[in-house]
Amino acid sequence: MPEGPELHLASLYVNKMCKGVVFTGTVRKSDVSKSADVPFTCEAFRITATSRGKEVKLTLTPMKSDDAKKSVKAGHADQPMEIVFRFGMSGFFRFTAEDALPKHAHLRFYSKETPCRVLSFVDARRFGSWHPNGTWQPDRGPCIMFEYEGFREKIVSHLSDRAFDRPICEVLLNQKYFNGIGNYLRAEILFRLNIPPFVPARTVLEGLKSEDVLENKKMVKIEITDTKTSDGVKQKPVKGETGDLLRLCHTVPLEVVNLGGKGYDPEKADYSDFKAWLQCYYVDGMKSIRDHNGRTMWFKGDPGPMAPKDSKSPKAKKRAKKEDDHDYTEKKKVARKSSASTPKKNVVKKETVTKTPKKETDAHSKEAVSKRRKAREVNTPRHEQRSAPRGKKSSSNAEPPAGPQRRSERVTRQNSK
């Protein structure tokens, strides 16, 4: 999933590619997208971008005509519009020729030039979204990269919040406080500080101040006193020399930004430098388990006392199918269970059929007998059909024959007397 650094690099990409480009016409949406239409039409406008945490805002600004007497066309915009994007699992921007549109270009802005070029929001999985006339989502905290002081102040002043009762690795994904941190960043930050992922967040963050006192990269000691594991077994306290966690939430994302286009390069899709930069996330030799939300946590050493019970490493499955990493809602879990139980029901039905072959045999035999009877009735003359029932009676009830045969039978009876 794109995180804070990727969305900031996306905004830099838009500003670089669209600098000096004039766009025109209507903002077009693909037929398959279920996101909102963008009610913006203008004869000439420019596009600029800015980012904040896990959101990007495009500003569409109409260009004023040199002719002051020339009025704006009916239905055309005369005021700027802001569109807020959230990238979901796979969103990004691309700027291409019109005849080279990406396959999953779901929102398109067309340039006023020949040949025409198009700025597209591309999203293969369609988990991303855009919001015309939108604003920054109010529930999100200050940006970890570009609003560092506000970010730090909010964390330190809200440590009594129940959200900090959870493991530190799960709290780092809470966008109310850590706007911009995602799955790979939390793994890298905790790995560098040698902090077990499943220790109480409040224990790790207590003692930090609103002001960053580590400007000279001084070290502070953190002692984790909660020594009970998820099985109730006591362990020794975890001690270590570590840096300021909030500071690394700010500096580690900036390292990715400093990779430049090598970290976000939709034209070449070359992420070799980014992979070389990773120290923990998806790196051979590291461990991985699912957290309580179903997200994969990568780490080294002991997971910590709040690790989920009976947790297993999803590493092998994840390499085969990475989409499962985001599939953790209760609704999707229920759907997954029901789909898994369907084959069993089919098996039971098949077994039921195979256990009762006798009924099928009887049905076939009855059908065959009825066919034979119909055939016999068709081939037998009408007068024989009438006498057929009499043939079934015993010989004593049959009519006596007429003529000489009858007389001989009478003589035979008298002689026997």
Side-chain angles (χ1 to χ4, degrees), residues 228-271:
K228 287 186 178 180
T229 65
S230 57
D231 298 328
V233 180
K234 289 187 177 181
Q235 290 184 337
K236 294 181 180 180
V238 179
K239 297 180 180 180
E241 293 286 337
T242 180
D244 187 322
L245 177 66
L246 298 181
R247 182 175 179 81
L248 262 71
C249 288
H250 168 64
T251 58
V252 173
L254 289 177
E255 291 181 15
V256 181
V257 173
N258 289 334
L259 292 175
K262 297 176 182 178
Y264 179 90
D265 190 357
E267 296 293 337
K268 298 180 181 179
D270 180 11
Y271 302 107

Side-chain angles (χ1 to χ4, degrees), residues 262-319:
K262 297 176 182 178
Y264 179 90
D265 190 357
E267 296 293 337
K268 298 180 181 179
D270 180 11
Y271 302 107
S272 56
D273 284 8
F274 173 72
K275 290 179 180 178
W277 172 85
L278 292 171
Q279 299 179 31
C280 177
Y281 183 76
Y282 231 96
V283 174
D284 290 338
M286 298 297 160
K287 301 177 182 178
S288 63
I289 60 175
R290 302 279 190 189
D291 64 17
H292 294 91
N293 293 322
R295 302 294 301 274
T296 304
M297 179 65 215
W298 294 81
F299 64 98
K300 182 179 181 180
D302 180 37
M306 298 181 74
K309 294 181 179 180
D310 302 325
S311 57
K312 296 181 180 179
S313 173
K315 185 174 181 180
K317 290 183 179 179
K318 184 174 180 178
R319 289 189 181 277

